[in-house]
């Protein structure tokens, strides 16, 4: 009898080796429990924990898991009436809250630095007949990267992640059984630094204890962390990572966010990757995504150009970027409004697109300009030439954020799009605006026929239904601030 992994068509000699290696490693390391997790639509890891004796079986057979887990909005409510006949007709395989199977990748094994004797495995969902679930967001990025590879390119991404860390003064509100609710209240917190003292060493020292936890956690998980910084807002910090292949960068973001939140929580801190925490005095957190292409046949950074195009001025893309880089840039601009919801997926994140706060407001690019959505960094001859997209919030699902870049960029390449001149006035009134609300962003996605076609109408309809559920609850909320506290601050 074949194993589930074999029936999925993923179990070859290399996977067999990895299964045996992982089991031996877990035994030798004294692991007692292994968390088998998958990244949900909202970027949150979920799954089950198996005991060491059950590990090998889980690696071969996967673990069963209720399919509604893929249909939940940010409050954990299922956005489809799965027990009503016909309600899941557009979602074959999701009726009646039946099972999906999470199959772990044995190569992803890690020992968690913050939890004793605990291992961790990344998994992806399959239907019981062994077909991968196409709505799985990691699968969406894998599909996008496969298309990019067919065109001869690989995507490299570097992450700059702003977020907020607070000290918990009273976990009571969150943990008081009399106040349990769906979703429940957030803990009471205080600042770890008072802010408005950008990059000050003194505040770095004040925030040293939680930042050490961030550092140790990221490094013990094998993530390419390069720096930790004090941001402008009260209790706001930033983590910067070296560029890696896109899938590894997306996986790193998932591990970082979920790992750091847990490690900090054990030490009495609350980290949030929501864009605008629910306090009077805050600065928005952005997630800036540095990107460049490499030719799979070799040749290094494909955005680098040897010398400026003859006759071009500094505001023309061809002064700085190769033709490939310019097409990619123009593709990102052409689909900026449609991609926004993948990069800024919450009601909260749309408060960030405002002038003069180093966040974008309009669909523009600039040369080393932090007010523009796309910041082109580098110059002719510079091997580190890249495009930094500043459109995202740190709560975004990394797989969807990056997949939207790939499809937009591929369209720019396929059509040979040219970019308009760089902006020198990123907050000028006349420029085309990014969506100003989650609802507008959903409409912009649905109106972008190219993105809908390349991502697949099934994925877009799915996302829209989940996000509409979140929007509706926000619209119905008696206290929208409390909605932000419960749904985002406490949870993401
Ligand atoms: N916090 C700004 C944002 O919302 C970015 C600040 C910076 O460039 O470091 O994207
Ligand atoms: Mg920053």
């Amino acid at each position: 009898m074949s194993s589930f992994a074999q029936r999925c068509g993923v179990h070859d000699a290399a996977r067999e080796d990895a299964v045996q290696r992982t089991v031996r490693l877990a035994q030798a390391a004294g692991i007692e429990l292994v968390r088998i997790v998958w990244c949900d639509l909202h970027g949150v890891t979920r799954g089950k924990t198996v005991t060491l004796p059950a590990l090998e079986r889980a690696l071969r057979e996967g673990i069963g898991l209720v399919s509604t887990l893929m249909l939940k909005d940010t409050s954990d409510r299922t956005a489809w009436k799965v027990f009503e006949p016909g309600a899941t007709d557009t979602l074959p395989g999701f009726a009646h809250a039946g099972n999906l199977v999470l199959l772990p990748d044995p190569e992803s094994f890690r020992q968690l630095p913050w939890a004793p004797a605990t291992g961790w495995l990344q998994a992806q969902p399959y239907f019981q007949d062994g077909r991968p679930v196409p709505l799985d967001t990691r699968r969406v990025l894998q599909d996008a990267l496969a298309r990019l590879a067919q065109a001869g390119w690989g995507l490299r991404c570097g992450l700059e992640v702003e977020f907020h860390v607070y000290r918990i003064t009273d976990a009571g509100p969150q943990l008081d059984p009399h106040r349990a609710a769906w979703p429940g209240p957030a803990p009471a917190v205080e600042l770890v630094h008072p802010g408005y003292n950008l990059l000050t060493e003194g505040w770095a020292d004040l925030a040293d204890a939680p930042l050490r936890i961030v550092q140790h956690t990221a490094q013990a998980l094998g993530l390419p962390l390069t720096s930790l910084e004090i941001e402008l807002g009260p209790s706001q910090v930033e983590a910067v990572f070296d560029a890696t292949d896109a899938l590894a960068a997306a996986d790193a973001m998932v591990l970082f966010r979920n790992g750091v939140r847990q490690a900090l929580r054990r030490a009495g801190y609350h980290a949030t990757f929501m864009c605008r925490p629910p306090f009077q005095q805050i600065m928005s957190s952005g997630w800036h995504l540095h990107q460049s292409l490499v030719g799979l046949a070799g040749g290094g950074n494909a955005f680098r150009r040897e010398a400026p195009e003859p006759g071009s001025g500094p505001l023309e893309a061809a002064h700085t970027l190769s033709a490939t880089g310019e097409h990619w840039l123009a593709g990102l601009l052409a689909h900026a409004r449609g991609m926004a919801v993948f990069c800024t997926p919450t009601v909260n994140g749309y408060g960030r697109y405002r002038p003069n706060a180093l966040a974008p407001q309009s669909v523009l690019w600039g040369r080393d300009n932090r007010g523009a959505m796309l910041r082109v960094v580098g110059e002719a001859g510079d091997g580190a030439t890249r495009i930094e997209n500043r459109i995202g919030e740190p709560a975004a699902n990394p797989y969807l954020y990056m997949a939207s870049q790939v499809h937009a960029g591929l369209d720019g390449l396929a059509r040979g799009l040219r970019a308009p001149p760089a902006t020198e006035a990123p907050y000028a009134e006349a420029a085309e605006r990014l969506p100003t609300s989650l609802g507008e962003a959903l409409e912009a996605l649905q109106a972008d026929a190219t993105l809908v076609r390349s991502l697949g109408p099934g994925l877009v309809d799915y996302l829209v239904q989940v996000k509409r559920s979140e929007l509706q609850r926000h619209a119905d909320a008696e206290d929208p601030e409390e909605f932000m506290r419960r749904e985002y601050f406490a949870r993401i």
Side-chain angles (χ1 to χ4, degrees), residues 160-162 198-199 229-232 236-240 284 286 288 358 370 388 390:
E160 264 182 51
V161 187
E162 295 173 338
L198 180 66
L199 297 177
E229 289 152 22
I230 294 295
E231 256 298 341
L232 181 60
Q236 191 182 29
V237 296
E238 173 166 332
V240 181
S284 301
H288 307 158
L358 307 189
R370 287 188 169 80
E388 175 191 1
R390 300 170 67 85

Side-chain angles (χ1 to χ4, degrees), residues 143-330:
D143 291 345
L145 292 172
R147 261 192 248 179
L148 187 64
Q150 270 167 19
W153 306 108
L155 176 64
R156 307 269 303 164
C157 288
L159 318 179
E160 264 182 51
V161 187
E162 295 173 338
F163 59 110
H164 289 79
V165 179
Y166 301 90
R167 190 175 292 105
I168 297 173
T169 53
D170 184 5
Q174 190 172 46
L175 298 179
D176 177 355
H178 301 289
R179 295 174 68 178
W182 192 354
V189 298
E190 65 182 22
L191 302 175
V192 299
H193 75 73
Y196 305 116
N197 220 344
L198 180 66
L199 297 177
T200 323
E201 187 189 354
W203 280 188
D205 202 58
L206 197 55
D208 185 54
L211 290 181
R212 284 304 166 98
I213 295 172
V214 174
Q215 172 227 322
H216 285 145
T217 306
Q219 290 180 334
L221 291 170
L223 309 181
L225 180 70
T226 58
S227 71
L228 289 168
E229 289 152 22
I230 294 295
E231 256 298 341
L232 181 60
S235 247
Q236 191 182 29
V237 296
E238 173 166 332
V240 181
F241 297 85
D242 257 342
T244 61
D245 288 347
L247 190 63
D251 289 342
M253 181 65 169
V254 173
L255 256 172
F256 179 73
R257 257 183 346 209
N258 289 279
V260 150
R261 275 172 64 86
Q262 294 171 49
L264 284 169
R265 180 68 195 232
R266 282 193 183 230
Y269 298 98
H270 180 73
T272 182
F273 291 82
M274 82 182 283
C275 179
R276 297 176 56 74
F279 304 107
Q280 273 300 319
Q281 286 293 326
I282 52 111
M283 297 301 293
S284 301
S285 286
W287 172 12
H288 307 158
L289 190 64
H290 293 250
Q291 42 197 290
S292 60
L293 291 186
V294 287
L296 293 178
N301 180 356
F303 285 2
R304 174 183 181 272
R305 76 174 305 131
E306 205 51 55
E309 185 174 75
S312 68
L315 297 185
E316 285 165 68
H319 197 80
T320 311
L321 292 171
S322 66
T324 303
E326 177 170 358
H327 300 327
W328 192 268
L329 180 79

Side-chain angles (χ1 to χ4, degrees), residues 10-11 15 51 57 78 89 117 125 132 190 215 218 238 270 289 353 357 415 417 433 441 458 468:
V10 298
H11 195 82
R15 190 174 187 279
T51 58
R57 183 180 158 79
T78 302
D89 281 356
E190 65 182 22
Q215 172 227 322
E238 173 166 332
H270 180 73
L289 190 64
Y353 295 157
R415 292 198 284 147
L417 294 181
R433 292 291 168 91
R468 289 238 171 263

Side-chain angles (χ1 to χ4, degrees), residues 439-458:
E440 190 187 333
L442 289 170
E443 281 162 23
L445 170 61
Q446 290 174 299
D448 187 328
T450 304
L451 277 188
V452 172
R453 195 173 353 96
S454 45
L455 285 155

